[in-house]
Amino acid sequence: MLLRRLVLATALATGLAGASVGASSAVPLPELPPLPLLSPPDSLTVTVSGSGIPEADGSWKLTCDGRVGGDHPAAERACERLEGFARAGENPFAPVPADRMCTQLYGGPVTAQVIGTWQGRRIDARFSRSNGCEIDRWENAEPLLPSVRA
């Protein structure tokens, strides 16, 4: 009895059930609905302080999940920039490697924190303009981060 059920279940799963009961042609199985997304949508909170520029300081939300959302002042361009990083396989949130030699330029006291989810990964990244490498990293992330050049 168990073997018979297994054979019948296998026939049903492969679309051969119709042929096994005498039908002249197999009936195709209905198309399955798409699987839900396995990773959460890109959703970030960007907080900037210490820039000395009132419109550059603040906290904004950004969602890039096929539709741009949130109150980020440059949401469309920020999502486009993040999509460019994703296509290139680059991580704009990776810290500067500890062994990298950086010029000792100071870009000011401004700092930023980006938290949330991007490309299915949890993000908690901090940015500053404390040396040449950090300035480059900040400017590479614009317009996600505001331009604070003097």
Side-chain angles (χ1 to χ4, degrees), residues 32-45:
L32 295 174
L35 292 174
L37 293 175
L38 297 178
S39 62
D42 293 349
S43 180
L44 300 169
T45 300

Side-chain angles (χ1 to χ4, degrees), residues 23-150:
S24 61
S25 64
V27 177
L29 292 175
E31 192 169 314
L32 295 174
L35 292 174
L37 293 175
L38 297 178
S39 62
D42 293 349
S43 180
L44 300 169
T45 300
V46 179
T47 304
V48 178
S49 62
S51 74
I53 305 169
E55 59 273 10
D57 286 349
S59 186
W60 307 278
K61 296 205 179 300
L62 177 67
T63 304
C64 306
D65 62 351
R67 289 175 287 130
V68 176
D71 59 354
H72 190 285
E76 189 77 33
R77 292 182 315 131
C79 286
E80 288 172 6
R81 183 70 177 129
L82 289 171
E83 180 58 33
F85 285 124
R87 279 192 309 270
E90 298 175 15
N91 180 359
F93 304 109
V96 174
D99 62 348
R100 177 162 299 156
M101 293 182 58
C102 303
T103 60
Q104 295 305 302
L105 298 173
Y106 182 65
V110 64
T111 60
Q113 181 177 18
V114 180
I115 59 172
T117 304
W118 181 71
Q119 297 292 296
R121 293 177 282 202
R122 293 285 309 145
I123 301 299
D124 186 353
R126 298 178 195 295
F127 292 80
S128 72
R129 295 178 62 86
S130 61
N131 62 45
C133 294
E134 293 293 346
I135 292 170
D136 286 345
R137 181 172 172 251
W138 183 293
E139 291 176 359
N140 192 40
E142 292 175 4
L144 176 65
L145 301 180
S147 176
V148 292
R149 298 178 185 119

